[in-house]
Amino acid sequence: MSALDWLVLGGTLLFIVGYGTWRTRTAGRTLDGYLLGGRQANWWGIGLSIIATQASAITFLSTPGQAYDDGMRFIQFYFGLPVAMVLIAAVAVPIYHRLRVFTAYEYLETRFDRRTRTLAAGLFLVQRGLSNGLSLYAPALVLSAILGWNINLTVWLIGGLMISYTVAGGTRAVAVTQQGQVAVIFTGMVVAGYLLVHYLPLNVGFSEAMQVAGNQGKLNLIDFTFDLTDRYNFWTGMTGGLFLALSYFGTDQSQVQRYLAGRSITESRLGLLMNGLVKVPMQFGILLIGVLLFVFYQFNQPPLTFNRPVREQIARQAEFAPQLQALEQRHASLFEGKRAATEQVVAALQQDNAGQLAAAQTQLETAQTAIQELRAETKRFFKKAAPLVEAKDTDYVFLTFVLQYMPRGLVGLLIAVVLSAAMSSAAAGLNALASTTVIDLYKPARPRSDERHYVGVSRWATITWGVLGIAFALYAARLENLIQAVNILGSLFYGTILGIFVVAFFMKKIGGNAVFWAAVVTQAVTFFLFQTTTIAYLWYNIIGCALVMLLATIGQQVLPRGPQVGR
């Protein structure tokens, strides 16, 4: 990066973190102030905080690559989200506010018993602790690729920065910094989208780009095919995606804590509804950038692999370097034919010549098939030359474009986007992990300590979870596409947690003993199904929730009944 890029990157991050820390320098004197910011957040601050918490660096690194590789169909994952926001605003928000809880899991002790509360809190801690590791790995990937730093060292540096301001200011520091981070995120993505269209050939505008993408099957927005093994279609989005959103926004403390900080029920509800209105268009825009990247690389030769660290490692090996060079030469030759065919497709579309379009499309498909065969050969070669390194490409697509084609200054801005998203999501997760640890596990065991003691323990819990997240981040490189990995991880736990809360909200005759054992069995069944079947991961949210409800109903009839509080 140039000196100007470093200035933009450093100045942006230092201003956001410094301003947030200064604004919240007095927020951590009481437990309520440290964990919930004194419950003074307004609706738009809640909405921005919810958006920023979900929009991690993975969103901006991996999602464009997902669209580049698989088209727009990932958008269906979010179709159930607006419905989920309405349901949570109507049902969960009034209960949480009326009880003035610090965490969602406090309510479960009120409704069931402490054992059920501890189980749900434990499931959240495991899932969110691992997810935070993924959120840290994504930006570490950026800096290690740019600077050539050791990725382990990079993870520690980014994690340390995020831990520092979260420990210092608690929830208010997270929320205030997230507002600046969201501004940077939206600015950077708009700039990236504009430049992608600007860099296309003079005779190719946005409409032609969409036609090229459509001809290549990248505008696959909606698929009504019902298939349990397909991760992304209308039915998985409106069912599995709905249940995932209900669990994530309604029971995951990293999100619940955002609207528990609201000054009233109305403010919290409006913040959730704002997220419901903004999230789908925002995700559509990010996926559209991935589609524009695909079109851009139809006219500009992409690298044989976007994963530059793998390419450089193989190039340094005398045994394999000549074969790599030969593959790259074949790729360059094949791409020239593909580019010529793409230009013929554009010309046929502009002239509305069906015969010419059919011939050009056939030529393009032939060139595309040859390139796909070459890439398959390349993948096998990489596996042989670097067997211990995962040669995945999708997480590097957007990053490669930024580094190779963005003008000076804007590279720094786009890197700031990724790092801002990383810190906003991971800091909210850390804050929630600390809250749950202290409120649901530590405080019940030490109920007579004073506020100052609990605030101190919260800070130490933040540090501990931050270090654990860093440790998991060091293994994240072994996972598949990051945006899928983080959603798979959530789906393995969210169905069970949501089932517990659905029983709590709507099945008033079921007590704690029945729901506890139903949740334990359901979580075991979910892991078993994941290991032994090909069911798309979004369905686990429905399966888990339904199974908890069913088993709790049966268990209430056959198991000994413990004390039933009910509220």
Side-chain angles (χ1 to χ4, degrees), residues 2 41 70-71 191 209 214 217 229 285 335 340 364 384 418 499 526 529-530:
S2 68
D70 196 35
V191 169
T229 64
F335 177 77
L364 178 59
K384 176 183 177 182
V418 175
T526 302
L529 291 175
F530 178 71

Side-chain angles (χ1 to χ4, degrees), residues 33-46:
Y34 187 75
L35 297 183
L36 294 177
R39 304 180 197 257
Q40 293 299 310
N42 53 34
W43 68 268
W44 59 267
I46 294 169

Side-chain angles (χ1 to χ4, degrees), residues 348-366:
L349 288 170
Q350 291 173 336
Q351 297 169 16
D352 196 20
N353 187 323
Q356 182 181 345
L357 177 60
Q361 189 68 32
T362 300
Q363 184 178 348
L364 178 59
E365 290 172 359
T366 300

Side-chain angles (χ1 to χ4, degrees), residues 153-396:
L153 175 62
T154 311
V155 168
W156 278 101
L157 288 174
I158 298 172
L161 176 62
M162 177 265 301
I163 290 169
S164 63
Y165 77 82
T166 307
V167 168
T171 289
R172 282 197 63 198
V174 172
V176 171
T177 52
Q178 281 178 330
Q179 293 169 18
Q181 287 158 346
V182 168
V184 172
I185 287 167
F186 277 103
T187 300
M189 299 313 286
V190 169
V191 169
Y194 169 79
L195 288 177
L196 274 166
V197 176
H198 178 72
Y199 288 159
L200 292 174
L202 293 177
N203 65 325
V204 180
F206 180 77
S207 60
E208 288 83 4
M210 291 299 97
Q211 288 176 316
V212 170
N215 279 339
Q216 296 300 306
K218 299 301 181 181
L219 300 184
N220 47 348
L221 282 167
I222 302 178
D223 179 6
F224 287 104
T225 304
F226 185 82
D227 182 357
L228 285 175
T229 64
D230 184 10
R231 291 177 172 179
Y232 307 117
N233 58 49
F234 177 82
W235 306 110
T236 56
M238 287 303 298
T239 52
L242 169 62
F243 276 73
L244 177 60
L246 284 171
S247 190
Y248 178 51
F249 292 99
T251 71
D252 188 306
Q253 182 62 19
S254 66
Q255 285 291 1
V256 173
Q257 194 160 345
R258 302 309 108 207
Y259 55 84
L260 285 181
R263 63 181 60 166
S264 68
I265 291 176
T266 300
E267 299 285 347
S268 294
R269 281 174 164 170
L270 288 174
L272 278 167
L273 295 178
M274 173 184 171
N275 179 61
L277 290 173
V278 171
K279 181 59 183 178
V280 177
M282 172 183 168
Q283 202 67 29
F284 178 89
I286 297 170
L287 287 167
L288 184 61
I289 287 175
V291 170
L292 289 171
L293 278 168
F294 172 81
V295 176
F296 174 82
Y297 282 118
Q298 303 308 296
F299 299 97
N300 299 271
Q301 183 181 334
L304 181 63
T305 175
F306 289 98
N307 191 332
R308 191 173 73 179
V310 170
R311 192 260 177 217
E312 291 177 349
Q313 177 179 328
I314 296 173
R316 289 193 296 267
Q317 301 179 53
E319 178 184 358
F320 296 108
Q323 189 174 347
L324 175 63
Q325 186 176 6
L327 287 170
E328 289 179 333
Q329 290 173 351
R330 286 171 56 194
H331 179 249
S333 177
L334 288 173
F335 177 77
E336 287 304 317
K338 179 183 175 182
R339 176 163 53 190
T342 303
E343 291 171 349
Q344 290 177 21
V345 167
V346 172
L349 288 170
Q350 291 173 336
Q351 297 169 16
D352 196 20
N353 187 323
Q356 182 181 345
L357 177 60
Q361 189 68 32
T362 300
Q363 184 178 348
L364 178 59
E365 290 172 359
T366 300
Q368 184 66 31
T369 299
I371 289 178
Q372 288 173 348
E373 291 173 353
L374 176 64
R375 288 192 176 278
E377 180 183 343
T378 301
K379 188 174 182 179
R380 292 191 296 269
F381 166 66
F382 282 178
K383 192 67 177 177
K384 176 183 177 182
L388 300 180
V389 180
E390 178 62 44
K392 59 188 177 183
D393 254 12
T394 53
D395 294 331
Y396 292 82

